[in-house]
Amino acid sequence: MEPTIACVVPCHNEEAAVGKVVRDLRTALPEAVVYVYDNASTDRTVEVAREAGAIVREELRKGKGNVIRRAFADVDADALLIIDGDDTYDASRARELVDLLFEGPYDQVVGARRVTDDGAYRTGHAVGNKLLTGAVRSLFGNDVTDMLSGYRVFSRRFVKSFPALAREFETETEMTIHALHLRLPTAEIPMDYRVRPAGGESKLRTYRDGWRILRVILDLARRERPSLVHTVIAAVLALVSVVLGIPVIADFVRTGTVPRVPTAILAAAIMTIAALVLLVGYILESLTHMRQEQIRLVHLAYPAPVRSPRRAAHGAGAGPVPVRKTAADGP
């Protein structure tokens, strides 16, 4: 039995590009079902997508994260590909991502952006992507080239174990950290990233969305690495307590009295709070470990993505694919 493949194209006012994206996907993956999820568009995105042969569904709550949450709940496939509807990614190379997913097998294959057109990737976006990717690498200890790529293909077990809590553009950050923290097998293929077609407008706002993504990273660090976060907070509190307490101790050693009683009480209270914060961090770490075990069991309830022996033997005629692995196979 052949594996099922689905393509999800989130769109908001993309009438200038969505038709070409859908046609390229249908040419590259004729066996796939292409879904265009319209996200409160006010132009002809829906009509153009239908004319190109896509199945159109609607998500009225604005934000790419809301679209992904809805699509991951609705669409059931052995391989699920997502790509933005603005034609900045090369949809004609979708076969390479899908083939690599099955050949691995991997749970996620990312189209890592490689800018080829001047103006395709604004300087602010490029700098922000590097800074945010560096933050994730520091916190979660793995090598990530393009954390914010919107061109990815997932296995069924990734999709069904992914909680999809993000609301807007921070959804790619959530996907990346989900894969890193569960040590899911992941690979990357370099993909050209080009300028939008005439009439298209970027919905990404450098500072607003960058700040939102940074908040998501910090929140995920708090939830996924509580012992680290609480240790840092406890260390800062302990340092404040020591700075306040040293003069008090020095006075006591010199005079045998404690003239600054309020300062002594404050220093002792802050040190007590630091100890409690550290203890809470270790308790939360245990709870996080239990939650990760549950997610891992959900992940393992689904089989790895595989092609039928006939399909694997003949292949898709794409030839070898240059790939950069970014995560080892999960345990």
Side-chain angles (χ1 to χ4, degrees), residues 93 95-97 99-100 103 188-190 318-324:
R93 295 184 63 189
R95 169 68 65 189
E96 296 178 36
L97 275 73
D99 283 349
L100 185 58
E103 289 165 10
E188 289 182 350
I189 297 178
V321 176
V323 56
R324 180 181 183 282

Side-chain angles (χ1 to χ4, degrees), residues 57-238:
R57 292 179 175 173
E58 293 187 359
E59 172 53 58
L60 298 179
R61 288 169 295 189
K62 291 188 70 173
K64 186 177 180 180
N66 289 323
V67 172
I68 296 299
R69 180 184 178 93
R70 171 78 180 276
F72 278 19
D74 293 350
V75 179
D76 190 53
D78 295 308
L80 191 152
L81 181 142
I82 64 167
I83 183 172
D84 293 343
D86 56 10
D87 197 32
T88 52
Y89 297 98
D90 188 358
S92 65
R93 295 184 63 189
R95 169 68 65 189
E96 296 178 36
L97 275 73
V98 172
D99 283 349
L100 185 58
L101 183 87
F102 288 116
E103 289 165 10
Y106 295 104
D107 282 314
Q108 177 183 225
V109 177
V110 180
R113 289 172 291 185
R114 179 178 56 197
V115 179
T116 56
D117 292 340
D118 292 338
Y121 205 21
R122 283 181 280 175
T123 303
H125 292 178
V127 173
N129 188 18
K130 288 181 180 179
L131 290 175
L132 294 171
T133 299
V136 167
R137 291 169 64 177
S138 299
L139 286 169
F140 295 94
N142 213 313
D143 189 16
V144 183
T145 299
D146 188 4
M147 181 184 75
L148 302 180
S149 173
Y151 195 10
R152 304 171 185 236
V153 60
F154 307 99
S155 67
R156 183 195 302 272
R157 60 186 185 178
F158 183 106
V159 171
K160 298 310 177 184
S161 64
F162 178 62
L165 301 177
R167 298 177 185 273
E168 296 191 23
F169 285 102
E170 64 270 22
T171 186
E172 286 93 355
T173 303
E174 193 179 37
M175 292 170 182
T176 300
I177 293 176
H178 176 74
L180 290 179
H181 212 55
L182 290 183
R183 288 172 286 168
L184 303 183
T186 298
E188 289 182 350
I189 297 178
M191 289 283 174
D192 292 345
Y193 188 70
R194 54 201 181 201
V195 71
R196 282 171 167 268
E201 180 186 356
S202 175
K203 285 77 181 177
L204 185 64
R205 299 293 177 264
T206 302
Y207 298 106
R208 185 200 67 180
D209 293 312
W211 171 244
R212 186 186 295 272
I213 291 168
L214 180 59
R215 282 170 49 198
V216 169
I217 293 173
L218 294 176
D219 185 57
L220 287 169
R222 179 182 59 82
R223 290 192 281 120
E224 303 294 343
R225 300 286 306 276
S227 62
L228 173 63
V229 173
H230 282 251
T231 298
V232 170
I233 296 173
V236 171
L237 291 172

